[in-house]
Amino acid sequence: MEQVMASIPDFEIAETGISKDNSAEAEQFKIRVDEIFQKVDELGQKVNEVEQFNLNSSKKQQSSSKGSSMGKERDKGRQVPSIKKQQQDASRREAAAAKRMQELMRQFGTIVRQITQHKWAWPFMQPVDVKGLGLHDYYEIIEKPMDFSTIKNQMEAKDGTGYKNVRDICADVRLVFNNAMKYNDEGSDVHLMAKTLLEKFEEKWQLLLPKVTEEERRRDEEEAEAQLDKQLVREAAHAKVIRDLCNELYEVDTHLEHLRETVVQKCRKMSTEEKRNLGTAIARLSMEDLNKALEIIAQSNPAFQAMAEEVEIDIDAQSESTLWRLKFFVKDALELQSRSAMSTGGNNNNYNNKRKKEICNAIAKTAKKKSKKTSS
């Protein structure tokens, strides 16, 4: 382990470049950096929320892809309604739909009256007197008893417990006759009366059914419109989150750039010895960290080809800002490598990569050129 630690050059424990007299100022920099890290964490959470929203939206779009292209074109030009307008529109829609349904129920009530006024309707007007008629097996055969007095009470209910849909009334009318046919033998009078009235009811129901179907279609369309409005509002809010997020990221980036420039101004110039140690240390980086170091150089030198097959690094030609950024990065990277090497018993063979050797040779080659020029 001692050999591993000794392989890290002396510069890794060197001062950051800010003089000891400015220790209070350095502490202020540390506080500001901590604040930025905290801000970055918050922005990271917002980014996750944005990604989750996009994922959910994508799934919804795939599930609803069966909509027509004409409908999609119409939706593109649709204005985003406010939440208040959504509530107002929903209230109006519900009131209009309730009024239309009441009209359908009124028309259905006319059918019910016509059926109940038939001369054969009397057995079905009141609940079956099971006890009085001695029908001991009635509840074993009939799961849900039904009669027209019960239907009428449900249709006239004002406490919100009544029928909400015409089809529900239709189902109960059918149940009245089906129960009678189920319990009474096919050749009996009650069975024949029930069958006859059911056929008459179905004839009248078929006349009203187109209106019921049209109302259901209209309700489905209105519900789809309402859902689209809600989705547009959610997307508008999401777009605002993205805009705010971009602005915050820009502010953080600007703050970091200002902080970096301030630190560079406070730093002293790196000595020739430190530059040589830095070049030596870069040669000891892992391949992954070496690529990151090359990216740091490329950030301040657009002409530098970090991913080129042949890379030539001139430490002396780098700006003070780049040198100090490299120094801080290499220091942290080598410390992490040393801890990793100690935890694995020193068996770290990641330094035999061909590209890494080429880059290390490039550093040495550039250094030799510099020394020759100096000696001549």
Side-chain angles (χ1 to χ4, degrees):
M1 287 189 288
E2 292 178 357
Q3 291 178 350
V4 174
M5 292 302 293
S7 68
I8 302 175
D10 294 340
F11 90 90
E12 71 162 330
I13 56 174
E15 295 176 5
T16 61
I18 299 177
S19 64
K20 294 181 179 179
D21 295 337
N22 294 328
S23 58
E25 193 171 11
E27 183 63 25
Q28 287 297 319
F29 282 132
K30 181 178 181 301
I31 293 173
R32 290 169 67 185
V33 170
D34 289 341
E35 291 174 350
I36 292 176
F37 274 124
Q38 183 178 355
K39 184 67 175 179
V40 169
D41 288 339
E42 294 173 0
L43 293 176
Q45 293 178 358
K46 291 183 179 180
V47 169
N48 290 335
E49 293 173 2
V50 167
E51 290 176 346
Q52 188 61 42
F53 180 89
N54 287 335
L55 180 62
N56 293 337
S57 297
S58 177
K59 289 180 178 178
K60 288 179 180 179
Q61 288 174 1
Q62 290 175 3
S63 64
S64 61
S65 60
K66 51 188 177 183
S68 66
S69 58
M70 185 179 298
K72 291 178 181 177
E73 288 299 321
R74 177 198 61 191
D75 296 343
K76 286 182 181 179
R78 192 183 183 88
Q79 293 184 344
V80 180
S82 64
I83 295 178
K84 183 177 181 180
K85 187 176 186 304
Q86 278 193 68
Q87 294 172 341
Q88 292 173 344
D89 290 346
S91 179
R92 282 195 294 267
R93 275 196 308 272
E94 290 172 4
K99 187 175 181 179
R100 294 194 304 270
M101 184 55 67
Q102 286 296 323
E103 175 59 22
L104 287 174
M105 292 177 76
R106 185 193 66 77
Q107 295 180 39
F108 191 89
T110 301
I111 296 175
V112 171
R113 282 195 301 273
Q114 291 172 348
I115 295 298
T116 55
Q117 288 172 0
H118 194 279
K119 62 181 180 179
W120 286 353
W122 62 267
F124 316 109
M125 298 304 296
Q126 299 295 328
V128 175
D129 185 5
V130 176
K131 186 175 181 180
L133 297 174
L135 308 177
H136 306 298
D137 60 348
Y138 187 81
Y139 294 116
E140 296 177 7
I141 299 173
I142 304 302
E143 296 179 4
K144 182 183 177 183
M146 185 55 61
D147 63 276
F148 280 106
S149 65
T150 301
I151 292 175
K152 182 181 179 182
N153 290 336
Q154 282 282 91
M155 291 180 68
E156 296 175 352
K158 304 296 184 182
D159 58 356
T161 60
Y163 294 112
K164 302 294 190 298
N165 191 291
V166 173
R167 286 190 183 272
D168 293 338
I169 316 175
C170 179
D172 278 353
V173 171
R174 286 171 175 161
L175 185 61
V176 171
F177 300 129
N178 286 328
N179 283 349
M181 289 187 290
K182 183 177 183 180
Y183 187 78
N184 296 277
D185 294 336
E186 189 171 351
S188 66
D189 291 341
V190 174
H191 186 101
L192 178 60
M193 295 163 73
K195 183 177 181 180
T196 301
L197 291 179
L198 179 59
E199 290 173 354
K200 290 182 177 296
F201 168 74
E202 293 294 352
E203 290 176 2
K204 297 180 181 298
W205 167 248
Q206 290 302 316
L207 297 176
L208 183 62
L209 184 58
K211 294 182 179 180
V212 175
T213 303
E214 173 61 22
E215 173 59 24
E216 290 171 341
R217 183 196 62 77
R218 184 170 178 177
R219 284 202 172 200
D220 288 343
E221 288 183 353
E222 289 179 349
E223 179 61 26
E225 293 281 327
Q227 290 301 322
L228 177 60
D229 285 345
K230 290 180 181 178
Q231 179 65 16
L232 290 174
V233 169
R234 285 194 293 267
E235 289 178 356
H238 173 64
K240 184 179 184 302
V241 169
I242 293 177
R243 288 195 300 270
D244 293 343
L245 187 58
C246 290
N247 291 335
E248 289 182 89
L249 285 170
Y250 176 77
E251 290 178 6
V252 169
D253 187 55
T254 303
H255 193 180
L256 280 173
E257 181 64 22
H258 175 72
L259 189 60
R260 184 176 70 84
E261 292 301 326
T262 303
V263 170
V264 170
Q265 292 173 8
K266 296 291 182 181
C267 288
R268 57 175 171 78
K269 286 190 176 182
M270 192 174 288
S271 67
T272 303
E273 180 70 17
E274 286 176 312
K275 292 179 182 178
R276 186 170 63 251
N277 287 340
L278 177 58
T280 303
I282 290 175
R284 290 174 178 161
L285 291 173
S286 68
M287 191 58 205
E288 181 181 356
D289 288 334
L290 190 55
N291 285 330
K292 292 179 181 178
L294 294 177
E295 289 175 4
I296 292 175
I297 295 174
Q299 287 173 6
S300 58
N301 185 3
F304 181 76
Q305 300 293 326
M307 302 305 294
E309 292 184 3
E310 293 186 4
V311 179
E312 185 171 325
I313 302 175
D314 186 353
I315 293 295
D316 293 329
Q318 305 306 317
S319 65
E320 290 298 322
S321 170
T322 301
L323 289 174
W324 283 108
R325 289 180 67 193
L326 281 172
K327 182 172 182 177
F328 298 145
F329 169 75
V330 173
K331 174 181 178 295
D332 292 339
L334 289 179
E335 286 180 348
L336 187 60
Q337 282 182 198
S338 68
R339 288 196 293 270
S340 177
M342 286 187 287
S343 64
T344 57
N347 295 323
N348 193 340
N349 297 317
N350 292 328
Y351 305 122
N352 296 322
N353 187 282
K354 181 180 177 181
R355 176 166 172 76
K356 181 190 166 185
K357 287 183 178 180
E358 292 174 351
I359 294 174
C360 295
N361 291 336
I363 296 175
K365 183 179 177 181
T366 304
K368 285 182 180 179
K369 287 181 180 179
K370 289 287 183 180
S371 62
K372 285 181 180 180
K373 288 181 180 179
T374 303
S375 60
S376 61

